[in-house]
Amino acid sequence: MNKLTIKKGNIQFSFNINHIKYCVGLNYQSKYELKKIIFEYFHNTKITEYSENNTGKALISIDNLEINKKNSLFYYVHHQYSLQDDLKLSTKSLISKYLEILLSQIDYNDTIQSINILLESFALELDSQIITSQFITQTPKSLLKLLMPFYMINDEQANEFDLSYDDIIILQLQMIKYISNDITKYVFCLIEIPELTHSIYEYIQSLDQCLVIVILTSSTVLIELKDIYYMSNINIDCDNDEQIYEIFVSKGICTLKEAKEKLNNIIKNKYYKDLLSIANDL
């Protein structure tokens, strides 16, 4: 278990994390600040004069050691993801990185080598007494510029409007999982979704090579208490026994077990309403 700290100035979020933390609660201002600091840190935003004089720079650390941004990849997963825009393969495109890793697989080495041999042979054919030509040696990254990717469903071209809520989230997670399993870089994933469904939850749990923070509003899945960061009038790390006990002892609760049960019931009653209503209907 590691301690993750995300802070800027006097705003700080700190919690224990294995590799996933689910941020639930109605404190949307705190959720906004958490997201904002993460974006500022990984997007290498140049510190403004105001921040330098008042709040300082954004910082993310694990066990008091700052995350090395140069050796990290950051991905933001959300339900408004534009598949059409990402297929344009811009610099920060998730699909672009996925295809680059795919093309780098050893299975395609011989094919890429054959392409380079053919280009070299073609260049010799183009040779003349005036200009000598040579093609640039192709690499997985350079081959991306020649690709025109499509997203297909049952052999038919599709876009994000053909996908369900679960599908658009899981599509992003599938590519991130593939990338994280094949590189040595640190992968930090921020997921912001209105509802955590069972299929999305299962796929998030499989991202064992990533550090994942999930910001959500409601859930149809019962999340383990230790994996929750409860953002209300105060922020509670539900894996911090000392903090939980200190908060609930003032309310007349005498044991840590009782405090955890009380906190778990508060979260269940507020964020698992759909699940409870289904159980009542049955």
Side-chain angles (χ1 to χ4, degrees), residues 98-114 140 143 178 182:
Y98 167 75
L99 290 174
E100 182 186 340
I101 298 295
L102 182 65
L103 286 167
S104 299
Q105 298 304 303
I106 193 169
D107 296 347
Y108 303 119
N109 284 353
D110 289 344
T111 302
I112 294 174
Q113 186 177 356
S114 296
L143 283 172
Y178 186 86
D182 197 77

Side-chain angles (χ1 to χ4, degrees), residues 248-273:
F248 284 94
V249 71
S250 61
K251 302 180 184 296
I253 293 176
C254 299
T255 67
L256 177 62
K257 182 180 178 181
E258 290 174 333
K260 284 188 172 182
E261 288 176 354
K262 178 68 174 177
L263 179 58
N264 208 19
N265 287 332
I266 290 171
I267 295 171
K268 280 183 180 179
N269 291 334
K270 288 188 176 181
Y271 304 104
Y272 301 127
K273 289 182 180 178

Side-chain angles (χ1 to χ4, degrees), residues 103-278:
L103 286 167
S104 299
Q105 298 304 303
I106 193 169
D107 296 347
Y108 303 119
N109 284 353
D110 289 344
T111 302
I112 294 174
Q113 186 177 356
S114 296
I115 290 171
N116 284 317
I117 292 171
L118 285 171
L119 289 174
E120 185 179 340
S121 176
F122 186 30
L124 291 173
E125 292 181 26
L126 293 173
D127 196 10
S128 70
Q129 293 180 348
I130 302 173
I131 298 293
T132 300
S133 301
Q134 183 178 5
F135 285 100
I136 297 171
T137 301
Q138 295 299 310
T139 65
K141 199 162 190 174
S142 65
L143 283 172
L144 277 177
K145 298 176 182 178
L146 305 178
L147 280 178
M148 185 180 290
F150 299 97
Y151 182 74
M152 308 290 285
I153 301 177
N154 298 327
D155 297 326
E156 297 177 328
Q157 190 174 338
N159 61 27
E160 62 263 35
F161 303 110
D162 299 306
L163 299 177
S164 68
Y165 168 76
D166 280 21
D167 289 340
I168 198 69
I169 300 298
I170 291 174
L171 172 62
Q172 298 169 77
L173 298 178
Q174 286 174 326
M175 289 187 284
I176 291 170
K177 182 177 175 65
Y178 186 86
I179 292 167
S180 66
N181 285 344
D182 197 77
I183 62 173
T184 56
K185 283 192 173 185
Y186 193 88
V187 179
F188 192 108
C189 183
L190 174 63
I191 303 172
E192 186 176 21
I193 51 177
E195 182 176 88
L196 181 68
T197 64
H198 191 267
S199 57
I200 294 174
Y201 173 78
E202 284 192 333
Y203 214 94
I204 290 173
Q205 293 298 118
S206 73
L207 299 175
D208 52 0
Q209 300 299 313
C210 304
L211 189 69
V212 184
I213 294 179
V214 186
I215 299 176
L216 56 93
T217 303
S218 65
S219 175
T220 59
V221 182
L222 292 173
I223 307 167
E224 282 192 66
L225 187 63
K226 68 178 179 63
D227 293 329
I228 293 175
Y229 187 59
Y230 184 51
M231 307 179 81
S232 186
N233 58 324
I234 56 174
N235 296 326
I236 305 174
D237 176 12
C238 297
D239 193 36
N240 187 326
D241 292 348
E242 185 177 343
Q243 184 189 18
I244 294 172
Y245 183 75
E246 286 179 357
I247 290 169
F248 284 94
V249 71
S250 61
K251 302 180 184 296
I253 293 176
C254 299
T255 67
L256 177 62
K257 182 180 178 181
E258 290 174 333
K260 284 188 172 182
E261 288 176 354
K262 178 68 174 177
L263 179 58
N264 208 19
N265 287 332
I266 290 171
I267 295 171
K268 280 183 180 179
N269 291 334
K270 288 188 176 181
Y271 304 104
Y272 301 127
K273 289 182 180 178
D274 290 346
L275 200 146
L276 291 172
S277 64
I278 292 170

